[in-house]
Amino acid sequence: MAIRTDHAMQQPGVGDVFALAWPMTLRAMFLHGTVVVDGFLVSSLGEAALAAMGLAAALGGIMLGVIFAFSHAMQIRTAQAFGSGDPVFLKSVLGSGLTVSVGMGAAGVVLIYVWGGTLIDALAPSVEVGSAARTYLMIFTIVILGEAVGQCIASFFNGCSRTKLPLYGYLLSVPINVCSSVVLIHGHFGLPAFGVAGAALGSAIAIMVQTFFWTLLLLRGNGYLRHVVGWHHATFLPTVRAHVRFALPIAATFVSATLSTHVCSLIYARMSLNGFAAMTLIAPWNLLAGQVAMQWTQATGILVAQLLGQRTSEDVLDRFLSRAWNGAFFAAGIVAAIFLIMCLSLDRIYPNLEAETRAILFGFLPILLIIQFPRATNAICGNTLRASGDTVYVMHVFIWSQWAFRVPATALFVLYLDLSAFWILSLFLWEEVLKFPAFHRRLWRGDWKRSDVSSPKHS
């Protein structure tokens, strides 16, 4: 049985990247925006409720971060299999990806049940907060298990160029999350008021509906894979091991990025109050606005993986990547424009902030404008190299730039030199400058264009 790959008949271009990128961008914004909405809904219960939710969500979020990291690897691996047109390869990626993701989710739930209560008791500022956080975290394990399945399926859809399907799942789940959380938190329609636990229940209901919806779509579109005989590496266990070998460096890269960011955030707490506030406020803007360029580069990586799976000629790969690269610069320009508008509108966006904090935020503008372009071109290189299977090299570039440069430099600038917030934020720009030659030399060497990603030996 052959997989339909009509897109293989013609060389993809900027339009194909855009078709993949815009649903991925909206989905990413929905994902990060949900956290903000949950915090807003719980805020009406007071500071103790917010503290309980924040503590429990921080612990549960660690496990979700690992699941999302492995799902990114699943996305690239699926694109390679989809491009190859080999149903055995595609079935193998789906089966091994689900096995790894569900295994990680189950392990995380076990750890939470064994150690979660102890950690909460040690970190909670009061017995009241600790009790509420325990309840929230136990319910949140349903979210972890649901996301272990759902994010794997969503990444499979992305790798198969069906990026609208994950977006549809969020369009369904976000309203359910908001409505059910409001009802369960405050006890409307005759239901008891669960307080903080109601927010967790609302999230759990929404995630289970979303996962069920994606599962139905998977069975409808790819149910035939159940009848495909054989595995990419002879039997199932070696196939899973090959998937883990491919996924671990990518997952390690994303986990490292999360940990280094948290470590730097702890160091920021030693800055002046206004500087710390400015660094805290710019973080969500960076996260949300940056999705425009980041999802473009991820979509480029998906198409490169598909082209490599089809064993496309080197000149076609060069032409496609050149066009996608131009698009990445355009996307970076859009992000820069967003930050320009934001900085020029600070008085309206944050009218209650102190003038000094607004001045610090406005002072970030040169960095925010410049950094988008090296960040976008580095991301193009990283996603292209990952698509070719060069995942360990990409992992090293990220980890060394984070732990050998940005984290110690942040500690030096904040704890010893007591530099201003401008120089602290500039470390993100210098990190991109450091990664620039390492990524571009590797890409220009051209080995990625000759990578046989569909071969079991390559895995």
Side-chain angles (χ1 to χ4, degrees), residues 67-418:
I67 290 171
F68 285 127
F70 274 91
S71 72
H72 185 74
M74 174 72 179
Q75 180 173 284
I76 297 173
R77 196 65 171 148
T78 301
Q80 294 174 346
F82 182 72
S84 72
D86 180 0
V88 175
F89 192 6
L90 193 62
K91 167 200 169 184
S92 299
V93 170
L94 179 59
S96 55
L98 281 170
T99 300
V100 171
S101 188
V102 171
M104 294 295 300
V109 169
V110 170
L111 289 174
I112 285 173
Y113 273 96
V114 174
W115 298 106
T118 304
L119 282 172
I120 285 175
D121 291 341
L123 297 173
S126 67
V127 174
E128 176 192 2
V129 171
S131 176
R134 274 174 173 266
T135 304
Y136 186 101
L137 187 59
M138 293 305 109
I139 299 171
F140 197 77
T141 56
I142 300 173
V143 175
I144 293 173
L145 291 175
E147 291 284 34
V149 176
Q151 291 304 318
C152 186
I153 295 174
S155 294
F156 181 82
F157 289 149
N158 285 342
C160 294
S161 293
R162 291 183 285 171
T163 56
K164 291 181 182 178
L165 299 185
L167 176 60
Y168 294 155
Y170 278 92
L171 291 174
L172 175 66
S173 67
V174 170
I176 292 175
N177 189 3
V178 172
C179 295
S180 59
S181 293
V182 169
V183 170
L184 294 170
I185 289 172
H186 301 289
H188 298 303
F189 305 111
L191 294 172
F194 290 101
V196 176
L201 285 168
S203 297
I205 292 170
I207 291 302
M208 296 311 294
V209 171
Q210 176 180 273
T211 301
F212 180 71
F213 173 70
W214 282 339
T215 301
L216 289 179
L217 293 178
L218 179 68
L219 291 173
R220 181 179 177 183
N222 298 93
Y224 70 90
L225 291 176
R226 292 174 295 174
H227 308 295
V228 173
V229 178
W231 298 98
H232 195 51
H233 288 264
T235 59
F236 183 63
L237 190 57
T239 300
V240 173
R241 283 201 296 262
H243 185 88
V244 171
R245 282 197 302 270
F246 179 86
L248 270 179
I250 299 175
T253 302
F254 280 82
V255 171
S256 172
T258 301
L259 290 176
S260 63
T261 299
H262 284 308
V263 170
C264 288
S265 296
L266 293 174
I267 298 173
Y268 297 156
R270 298 292 299 274
M271 298 170 61
S272 68
L273 181 61
N274 297 102
F276 181 42
M279 293 295 292
T280 302
L281 286 171
I282 205 64
W285 281 95
N286 234 334
L287 189 63
L288 287 175
Q291 294 302 323
V292 175
M294 288 301 102
Q295 297 304 321
W296 180 277
T297 61
Q298 286 196 25
T300 299
I302 289 173
L303 289 172
V304 168
Q306 291 179 358
L307 290 171
L308 289 173
Q310 297 164 16
R311 301 182 182 180
T312 305
S313 64
E314 293 186 23
D315 61 327
V316 172
L317 288 167
D318 283 333
R319 285 197 300 272
F320 166 70
L321 194 60
S322 176
R323 294 170 182 171
W325 216 311
N326 291 335
F329 273 101
F330 183 75
I334 293 175
V335 178
I338 292 173
F339 279 113
L340 176 61
I341 295 170
M342 183 272 286
C343 287
L344 293 175
S345 308
L346 287 173
D347 291 342
R348 294 185 178 181
I349 298 174
Y350 299 115
N352 297 321
L353 284 181
E354 294 182 12
E356 182 180 349
T357 304
R358 290 201 301 270
I360 294 172
L361 282 170
F362 188 80
F364 288 161
L365 182 57
I367 298 171
L368 296 172
L369 294 180
I370 296 171
I371 195 174
Q372 308 308 328
F373 299 95
R375 179 176 285 170
T377 189
N378 282 339
I380 283 281
C381 292
N383 282 292
T384 299
L385 293 173
R386 285 194 190 110
S388 71
D390 200 1
T391 56
V392 175
Y393 182 83
V394 176
M395 177 189 71
H396 279 294
V397 173
F398 274 100
I399 288 179
W400 284 106
S401 64
Q402 290 158 2
W403 295 101
F405 172 69
R406 178 158 56 87
V407 172
T410 299
L412 176 66
F413 281 22
V414 173
L415 303 179
Y416 296 98
L417 301 180
D418 194 25

